[in-house]
């Protein structure tokens, strides 16, 4: 089994920054691709960013390109999402997820999920 725990969410003003972290435990020897998703009230869960196990390949939703950066430190089994120039429409619960072997864009492709962390951006 794999456990994922997100942290770093909070309340921030528009234009501000936050860095989310996702710590992974269990089966740390497996080469998981990691993804960040978000879900706003009344909306479907949507892909935000993904990163391959090696860190050499990343993918982003168009809505966050140039503002968000995904990275990972495999020595710490942690993936990060640096969020800059935040907008009120970025308000959502953010989830990290893991899958093998490649980055996926759909939530159904992922096998393991964290509990989520709330990000609220005020205008």
């Amino acid at each position: 089994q794999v456990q994922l725990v997100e942290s770093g969410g909070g309340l921030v003003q528009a234009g501000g920054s936050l860095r989310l972290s996702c710590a992974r435990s269990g089966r740390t020897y497996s080469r998981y691709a990691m993804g960040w998703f978000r879900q706003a009230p009344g909306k479907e869960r949507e892909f935000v960013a993904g990163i391959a196990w090696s860190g050499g390949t990343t993918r982003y939703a168009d809505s966050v390109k140039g503002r968000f950066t995904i990275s990972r430190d495999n020595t710490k089994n942690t993936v990060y999402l640096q969020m800059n120039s935040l907008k009120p429409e970025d308000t959502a619960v953010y989830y990290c997820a893991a899958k093998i072997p490649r980055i996926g864009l759909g939530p159904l492709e992922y096998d393991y999920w964290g509990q989520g962390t709330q990000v609220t951006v005020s205008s």
Side-chain angles (χ1 to χ4, degrees):
Q1 274 288 39
V2 173
Q3 293 79 41
L4 303 173
V5 179
E6 303 97 334
S7 60
L11 173 64
V12 64
Q13 289 188 332
S17 298
L18 283 173
R19 188 175 83 152
L20 305 183
S21 299
C22 173
R24 178 168 61 90
S25 60
R27 301 184 70 177
T28 55
Y29 53 84
S30 296
R31 298 188 173 193
Y32 288 98
M34 301 295 293
W36 284 99
F37 288 76
R38 67 187 181 187
Q39 188 166 18
K43 295 189 176 181
E44 294 186 352
R45 191 168 298 188
E46 64 174 359
F47 174 80
V48 175
I51 187 166
W53 180 87
S54 67
T57 302
T58 57
R59 299 282 301 273
Y60 295 94
D62 289 343
S63 58
V64 306
K65 280 181 183 176
R67 299 189 298 123
F68 291 11
T69 302
I70 189 171
S71 62
R72 67 190 299 163
D73 184 343
N74 288 339
T75 65
K76 298 181 179 179
N77 295 314
T78 301
V79 64
Y80 306 97
L81 185 68
Q82 178 67 44
M83 306 186 294
N84 298 329
S85 302
L86 282 161
K87 304 175 181 180
E89 51 263 43
D90 294 318
T91 296
V93 177
Y94 283 71
Y95 300 89
C96 71
K99 71 181 293 291
I100 292 176
R102 289 175 293 275
I103 299 169
L105 303 183
L108 295 179
E109 300 180 57
Y110 286 77
D111 299 309
Y112 302 101
W113 291 86
Q115 82 289 349
T117 185
Q118 176 70 47
V119 171
T120 303
V121 184
S122 63
S123 57

